Amino acid sequence: MMNDNQHIPSGYKPSPLGIIPEDWEVRRLGEICTFLRNNTLSRNQLNEINGKVQNVHYGDILVKYPSVLNARAESIPYVNQEDYKDTLNEFIEDGDVIMADTAEDETVGKACEIINVDSKQILAGLHTMLIRPQKGLFASSFLGYHINSNSYRRQLNALIQGIKVCSLGKQVIANTFLLVPPLPEQQRIVSVLSLWDTAIAKQTALIEQLTLRKRGLMQQLLTGKKRLKGFEGEWKRIKLGDIAERITRKNEENNQNVVTISAQRGFVVQTDFFNKSVASEILDNYYLAHRDEFCYNKSYSNGYPMGAIKRLKTFDKAVVTTLYICFKLREKPQTNIDFFEQYCESGLFNKELVKVANEGGRAHGLLNVTPDDFFNMHMSVPSFEEQAAIASVLVNADKEIEIQKQKLEVLQEQKKGLMQVLLTGKRRIL
């Protein structure tokens, strides 16, 4: 509740959600929405190809779908024919909201409003809540934006339960408050926010296009299928050990910058390392990697890499587990470090490693590469000059992608700012 002494501008009023316009209402979600039945179908009971009934999985809500899910445009998985039961008949309608009630972090509660369902039969899947608002209260898409806004998220953050797995219950969701502006204003708010969504979608598509183009260049240039102008002659087949040497430098400096490898994000700082009751002296036995050295997570699952090989660029020094294979490029023969990094990022490195992978003993189905096998891995490389030329093309492609990602971040931040003022009534569109 707001402070009674707080100044209330003309045309505004106090509410459980702070100061809001006089013509806006605050309603409890459970009073104006109904919870319908979801299902418990797992991901392996779904497919992306065909089927009669579609299913919105909570994982897609958390990482893939926007606030407003356009059923005509977005890809929604199908239920495998053999897994569909007629009792699962709470089909989604236009304006329904699907909320993820479970996640590994504070993203729990992320939701999407479904529009343009048409004649499709769509179900709400595992770890979701299917919420249907009363007809006529909300303009199309408004509720999707509102439930994902910071103002609504602040209510949810105080209600999240669990540590390793975060969850929300229907009863606590039912007791949250929703803002209900007049319908014409809702429609105007949606019109503004949808413009930013369109721009974000176009920018995202551009990044995907540039990323695909770069992948194509990598497969052509890093294999010699396509040669840059001025270069010819056969590439040399070498062992990794010819150009790289292993690093087993112990952490005698007591460096506490512990990092792990993420295939998507590179080296990730383990800020919670010392909250896991791990004795700090154990770090003395960890490897200390320096800038421009490489680390590889050597575990495999069913022939596919569980980890990735990454170059340390963000930090001057970092500590990694001894489960990783750490190495640096030799001074002779000279190897272009950007070329080698691109080769690793292309997936060609992992394909060669799969050939030398041995059955590991850590768990059923895992494969491990020993250090000896690792450095005996073969790869084909051109002259140093051609390496540098290829690296220049691919690094420039990365820079172009990064520029477009920065533009995307600007659009996303602008949209967040608009949501903050438009969905709270701080700025009106009259």
Side-chain angles (χ1 to χ4, degrees):
M1 293 292 290
M2 61 165 288
N3 189 319
D4 291 337
N5 296 323
Q6 187 174 348
H7 174 68
I8 300 176
S10 175
Y12 286 78
K13 65 183 179 183
S15 82
L17 297 180
I19 299 173
I20 64 172
E22 284 182 338
D23 53 350
W24 287 30
E25 295 183 45
V26 175
R27 305 284 297 275
R28 288 193 184 274
L29 185 146
E31 296 174 352
I32 57 176
C33 297
T34 304
F35 290 92
L36 302 177
R37 183 169 47 186
N38 66 317
N39 63 66
T40 58
L41 294 171
S42 63
R43 180 71 80 176
N44 62 13
Q45 292 175 294
L46 309 176
N47 73 86
E48 300 289 341
I49 302 173
N50 57 52
K52 179 181 177 182
V53 177
Q54 293 173 281
N55 186 83
V56 177
H57 191 273
Y58 80 104
D60 292 332
I61 296 174
L62 292 173
V63 303
K64 179 181 177 182
Y65 295 143
S67 300
V68 180
L69 173 56
N70 186 342
R72 292 176 190 164
E74 293 283 351
S75 173
I76 303 174
Y78 296 93
V79 180
N80 297 336
Q81 189 63 39
E82 63 272 19
D83 293 314
Y84 176 68
K85 303 293 187 294
D86 288 337
T87 53
L88 304 176
N89 57 3
E90 297 280 12
F91 292 123
I92 293 169
E93 298 179 358
D94 270 21
D96 286 354
V97 171
I98 308 178
M99 178 181 290
D101 64 17
T102 301
E104 293 182 355
D105 52 29
E106 66 279 359
T107 57
V108 63
K110 187 172 181 294
C112 55
E113 178 181 342
I114 315 297
I115 64 171
N116 296 325
V117 174
D118 300 328
S119 60
K120 297 180 179 67
Q121 295 180 315
I122 306 175
L123 301 171
L126 178 70
H127 295 315
T128 68
M129 298 181 200
L130 178 54
I131 303 170
R132 179 166 296 166
Q134 290 180 13
K135 302 296 183 185
L137 274 181
F138 297 102
S140 176
S141 302
F142 178 83
L143 201 50
Y145 289 125
H146 178 35
I147 285 185
N148 287 292
S149 67
N150 287 338
S151 59
Y152 185 78
R153 288 292 316 180
R154 280 195 289 270
Q155 296 182 70
L156 295 189
N157 290 339
L159 304 173
I160 296 173
Q161 298 178 334
I163 301 175
K164 291 185 177 180
V165 177
C166 300
S167 62
L168 290 164
K170 289 182 180 178
Q171 189 56 51
V172 296
I173 294 298
N175 284 323
T176 58
F177 292 103
L178 295 175
L179 285 171
V180 188
L183 274 174
E185 188 168 2
Q186 290 184 38
Q187 291 165 345
R188 289 190 286 269
I189 292 171
V190 168
S191 295
V192 172
L193 296 178
S194 62
L195 287 176
W196 259 258
D197 272 348
T198 299
I200 288 170
K202 288 181 178 179
Q203 189 66 19
T204 301
L206 174 59
I207 293 170
E208 291 173 354
Q209 182 182 1
L210 292 173
T211 302
L212 286 173
R213 187 184 72 175
K214 199 253 175 151
R215 287 176 187 166
L217 283 171
M218 294 171 86
Q219 294 301 316
Q220 293 291 315
L221 295 177
L222 294 171
T223 59
K225 293 178 181 178
K226 181 178 181 179
R227 307 292 291 274
L228 295 175
K229 188 176 180 180
F231 295 101
E232 56 185 20
E234 292 190 8
W235 290 18
K236 290 182 180 180
R237 188 74 173 166
I238 62 170
K239 291 182 181 179
L240 177 60
D242 295 336
I243 63 171
E245 59 180 310
R246 191 179 183 192
I247 298 296
T248 56
R249 185 188 302 112
K250 292 300 177 66
N251 184 29
E252 296 177 355
E253 300 179 10
N254 195 29
N255 188 306
Q256 298 182 3
N257 188 26
V258 182
V259 297
T260 56
I261 291 176
S262 164
Q264 290 75 33
R265 295 183 290 160
F267 287 98
V268 179
V269 179
Q270 293 293 94
T271 54
D272 60 344
F273 185 81
F274 290 102
N275 295 329
K276 297 179 180 178
S277 300
V278 179
S280 60
E281 55 265 23
I282 291 178
L283 290 180
D284 295 342
N285 296 319
Y286 272 42
Y287 291 152
L288 182 65
H290 290 180
R291 183 182 294 274
D292 284 334
E293 293 177 349
F294 293 83
C295 298
Y296 187 74
N297 178 347
K298 59 185 179 178
S299 299
Y300 280 72
S301 175
N302 298 323
Y304 293 94
M306 292 178 63
I309 184 169
K310 294 293 179 181
R311 171 184 172 187
L312 187 64
K313 295 191 290 187
T314 310
F315 314 102
D316 287 329
K317 297 179 182 179
V319 181
V320 299
T321 172
T322 53
L323 293 175
Y324 291 170
I325 297 175
C326 303
F327 63 97
K328 66 179 180 180
L329 297 179
R330 299 180 186 273
E331 291 184 8
K332 293 182 179 180
Q334 195 174 15
T335 304
N336 183 282
I337 193 169
D338 291 327
F339 174 88
F340 185 79
E341 181 183 21
Q342 294 289 337
Y343 185 87
C344 295
E345 294 291 339
S346 71
L348 295 171
F349 193 100
N350 287 340
K351 287 181 181 179
E352 292 291 340
L353 280 179
V354 169
K355 297 176 183 178
V356 299
N358 295 317
E359 289 290 343
R362 291 173 56 191
H364 178 72
L366 293 185
L367 295 172
N368 277 331
V369 176
T370 67
D372 286 342
D373 288 333
F374 184 82
F375 289 102
N376 281 325
M377 184 208 77
H378 286 78
M379 58 185 293
S380 297
V381 296
S383 67
F384 179 79
E385 291 74 20
E386 187 171 359
Q387 290 179 37
I390 291 171
S392 178
V393 171
L394 298 179
V395 168
N396 284 335
D398 282 334
K399 290 178 179 177
E400 185 177 5
I401 292 170
E402 184 58 32
I403 289 171
Q404 299 307 323
K405 285 183 176 179
Q406 291 173 1
K407 291 181 179 179
L408 175 61
E409 290 176 2
V410 170
L411 288 171
Q412 290 170 333
E413 287 302 313
Q414 288 175 342
K415 180 189 169 185
K416 286 181 183 178
L418 286 170
M419 290 176 71
Q420 181 62 28
V421 295
L422 295 180
L423 294 171
T424 58
K426 292 179 181 178
R427 180 177 296 179
R428 308 291 301 275
I429 309 178
L430 301 175

